[in-house]
Amino acid sequence: MNTVADRLIVPLDVPSLPAAIAWVERLPQVSFWKVGLELFVSTGPAILTELKQRQKHIFLDLKFHDIPNTVAGACRAVATYGVDLVTLHAAAGPAALKAAQTAISEAATATGQAPPQLLAITVLTSLTARSLALDLKIPIELPEYALHLARLAQQQGIAGAVCSPQEVAQLREICGPHFRLVCPGVRPDWAAKGDQKRTLTPAMAVKAGADYLVIGRPITQASDPAAAFQRICDELATVV
Ligand code: C5P
C-alpha cells in the first residue's frame, strides 16, 4: 500500500468485459479494482489480463468454498493470474483453509510470482442473526461466530478477512496489526446508503482498523465519479 488511493478498491459490478473496461478507462486514477463472481463468470480471466495490462491491483472475489483438494486446485490456478487478493469461505473449515494457503504459496513460488493474499469470508452480511440460528442452526451469536471464523482462518495462515465496518475494530484487536482487513459497506456522509444498512464513513472505517475499503455506488453512481473518488481520497488523507 503506497498511497491513500491504493487503499480504495472499486468493484466492477457489471456483467460484461466492455462495460468493465469502460469503467477502468473512465477512472484511470483508480488503482485497485474488485472482480466478483458475476464479471468473472461472464468474462473469465480476460478481465484480469486487461487490468494487468494497465498495471492495476486486483481483488478477485470468488469466495471459494469446497473440499480441501478442490480449494487447493483452485488456489493453484489463481496463483498464476498475478492478482493481489483472493477470497475463500472460512466455513470451508481448517483443512481447506490450510490447503488453500499452502497451494497458493507453493504455486506462486513455482512461477516466480508474489502469492496473492487469501482473505477469509466469515458470515455473509446477507445472513441475519435469525436465519443463522433458525435456518442454519448455528448455536452462537452472530458477531462471536464471525470473530471465531476470522480467528480460525488466521490460525491456518490466512492473511486476512473481509468484514463489515461494525466488526472491524474488534477484529483488529483480536487478530493483531498484521491481519489484512477489507471492509465493504462503507459510505461517505454525502452519499446515499442504498441497501447498505450499518455503515461507517471511509475515515471512520480506516480509523477503526480497515486496511482496504471496497466502495462502489458512492463513486460509480455519483454525477461525477472522478470527483467522488477524489473526495474520498481527500477524506482518507486526513486520517492516514
Ligand atoms: O456499491 P457498494 O459500495 O455497496 O459495493 C460494495 C461491494 O462490496 C459490492 O461489490 C458488494 O457485492 C460487495 N460486498 C458487500 N458486502 C459484503 C461483501 C461484499 O457489499 N459483505
Side-chain angles (χ1 to χ4, degrees), residues 59-61 64 78 83-88 104 116-120:
F59 173 15
L60 188 56
D61 187 18
F64 297 150
V78 149
V83 302
D84 300 274
L85 303 171
V86 180
T87 49
L88 82 172
I104 213 160
Q117 292 196 313
L118 282 171
L119 300 176

Side-chain angles (χ1 to χ4, degrees), residues 1-11 29-33 57 59 85 168 172 177 179-184 186 202-215 219 229 232-233 236-240:
M1 275 187 286
N2 301 318
T3 66
V4 163
D6 288 338
R7 299 177 70 154
L8 260 186
I9 304 175
V10 181
Q29 56 278 72
V30 174
S31 60
F32 218 136
W33 290 98
H57 295 299
F59 173 15
L85 303 171
V168 69
R172 176 58 68 216
F179 198 60
R180 286 270 175 258
L181 293 175
V182 179
C183 279
V186 175
M204 285 160 73
V206 165
K207 269 208 259 182
D211 294 300
Y212 297 100
L213 309 176
V214 180
I215 306 183
I219 296 167
F229 180 80
I232 295 170
C233 289
L236 285 181
T238 64
V239 293
V240 295

Side-chain angles (χ1 to χ4, degrees), residues 8-9 23 54 65 83 95 108-109 116 120 125 129 135 147 160 165 186 209 217-218:
L8 260 186
I9 304 175
W23 270 115
R54 293 169 175 79
H65 191 166
V83 302
T109 307
T125 44
D135 301 328
L147 296 174
V186 175
R217 287 163 292 177

Side-chain angles (χ1 to χ4, degrees), residues 39-122:
L39 184 58
F40 193 77
V41 171
S42 303
T43 71
I47 179 60
L48 308 181
T49 307
E50 294 286 343
L51 289 167
K52 295 295 289 178
Q53 278 169 357
R54 293 169 175 79
Q55 279 88 46
K56 301 299 180 186
H57 295 299
I58 303 171
F59 173 15
L60 188 56
D61 187 18
L62 298 184
K63 298 188 175 67
F64 297 150
H65 191 166
D66 215 311
I67 60 171
N69 190 52
T70 303
V71 169
C75 285
R76 270 192 291 279
V78 149
T80 64
Y81 290 154
V83 302
D84 300 274
L85 303 171
V86 180
T87 49
L88 82 172
H89 278 278
L97 293 165
K98 196 174 183 106
Q101 186 55 52
T102 303
I104 213 160
S105 302
E106 287 178 359
T109 307
T111 58
Q113 306 197 48
Q117 292 196 313
L118 282 171
L119 300 176
I121 304 293
T122 55

